[in-house]
């Protein structure tokens, strides 16, 4: 979709994922376009429910906890999700992942959702450096990361296995100071 064709009315917002979102997450993970460039193993609704029930978003602002997920909503409807894994609170490190359900892709939604989240994370948590990785074939994901200010820092050879092939990934990162500048 060309930018001029994008619906002007998309209202993008984020809310913490809840245990009741588990079925939606399982369905989205199974969409071919969502799994095309990343190895998303099948996970049961029960496991996702337990994982979501264990997440407390207040912990993020108290430098505790290790995994947090948000639902991206478009005009109030669930459209995709973002995952943040805090890898080291002492050094302010975390990793981001994200995906949109197929009908919501190519509408400029992910950059808007990430922009809002990064503003919040760098303003209200101790995080200083956030990393993201994508398969080198995932040009859409690399584009989105660059649009919101991530810099490509390297190429991770044979980083994961995708449909029987070892796949290189790009490593991207954004610093709190990048965001300020
Ligand atoms: C990758 C993804 C998050 C991009 O988010 P998005 O909101 O669709 O991105 P945008 O609409 O801002 O598009 C960014 C660029 O990628 C292109 N693009 C988006 N989705 C695409 C797709 N499925 N196939 C090919 N190109 C795509 C857009 O045309 C745009 O390019 P342009 O600026 O040259 O026009 C989204 O497509 C997605 O969820 N894909 C499946 C899951 C995934 O790969 N997650 C990331 C794992 S690292």
């Amino acid at each position: 979709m060309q930018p001029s064709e994008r619906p002007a009315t998309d209202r993008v917002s984020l809310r913490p994922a809840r245990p009741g979102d588990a079925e939606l997450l399982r369905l989205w993970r199974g969409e071919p376009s969502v799994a095309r460039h990343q190895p998303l193993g099948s996970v049961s609704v029960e496991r996702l429910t337990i994982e979501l029930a264990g997440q407390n978003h207040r912990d993020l602002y108290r430098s505790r906890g290790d995994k947090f997920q948000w639902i991206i909503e478009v005009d109030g409807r669930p459209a995709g999700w973002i995952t943040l894994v805090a890898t080291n609170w002492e050094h302010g490190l975390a990793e981001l992942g994200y995906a949109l359900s197929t009908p919501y892709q190519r509408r400029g939604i992910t950059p808007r959702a990430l922009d809002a989240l990064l503003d919040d994370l760098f303003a209200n948590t101790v995080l200083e450096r956030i990393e993201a990785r994508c398969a080198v074939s995932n040009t859409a994901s690399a584009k989105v990361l660059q649009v919101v200010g991530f810099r490509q820092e390297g190429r991770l050879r044979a980083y994961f296995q995708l449909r029987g092939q070892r796949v290189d990934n790009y490593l991207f990162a954004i610093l709190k100071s990048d965001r300020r500048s």
Side-chain angles (χ1 to χ4, degrees):
M1 184 182 289
Q2 296 301 309
S4 55
E5 296 170 48
R6 285 175 184 156
T9 54
D10 282 344
R11 255 187 318 112
V12 178
S13 55
L14 288 175
R15 65 162 173 80
R18 312 183 272 254
D21 296 313
E23 176 63 30
L24 209 44
L25 287 176
R26 192 188 64 81
L27 285 173
W28 286 337
R29 290 168 64 98
E31 291 180 19
S33 82
V34 172
R36 183 169 300 139
H37 297 287
Q38 52 182 347
L40 294 172
S42 71
V43 188
S44 69
V45 172
E46 291 73 22
R47 204 179 123 194
L48 288 168
T49 305
I50 291 167
E51 192 177 288
L52 291 167
Q55 294 174 18
N56 179 349
H57 280 245
R58 272 173 299 190
D59 284 349
L60 181 57
Y61 305 98
R62 301 178 193 143
S63 313
R64 292 184 208 157
D66 53 9
K67 187 167 179 179
F68 305 90
Q69 284 169 293
W70 291 262
I71 298 296
I72 303 171
E73 291 190 333
V74 176
D75 294 331
R77 291 191 197 91
W81 80 100
I82 300 178
T83 300
L84 182 86
V85 175
T87 49
N88 188 317
W89 282 116
E90 187 187 348
H91 296 285
L93 305 178
E95 298 174 4
L96 260 187
Y98 42 80
L100 287 176
S101 178
T102 313
Y104 293 96
Q105 295 172 14
R106 294 183 174 224
R107 288 162 55 168
I109 290 165
T110 310
R112 292 169 61 190
L114 290 181
D115 253 334
L117 184 61
L118 291 169
D119 278 349
D120 180 37
L121 294 176
F122 286 135
N124 301 314
T125 76
V126 302
L127 294 176
E128 290 280 342
R129 173 185 162 91
I130 299 176
E131 297 183 356
R133 274 172 288 279
C134 65
V136 295
S137 56
N138 198 346
T139 50
S141 185
K143 183 87 185 261
V144 160
L145 290 170
Q146 283 161 337
V147 164
V148 298
F150 280 75
R151 294 196 203 166
Q152 192 182 308
E153 294 189 341
R155 183 167 178 140
L156 307 169
R157 293 177 305 143
Y159 187 71
F160 56 48
Q161 188 156 308
L162 191 61
R163 291 181 285 281
Q165 302 276 340
R166 301 294 312 181
V167 171
D168 290 2
N169 273 216
Y170 289 128
L171 169 66
F172 284 87
I174 188 167
L175 308 185
K176 185 172 182 169
S177 53
D178 293 335
R179 209 54 196 164
R180 276 198 296 265
S181 61

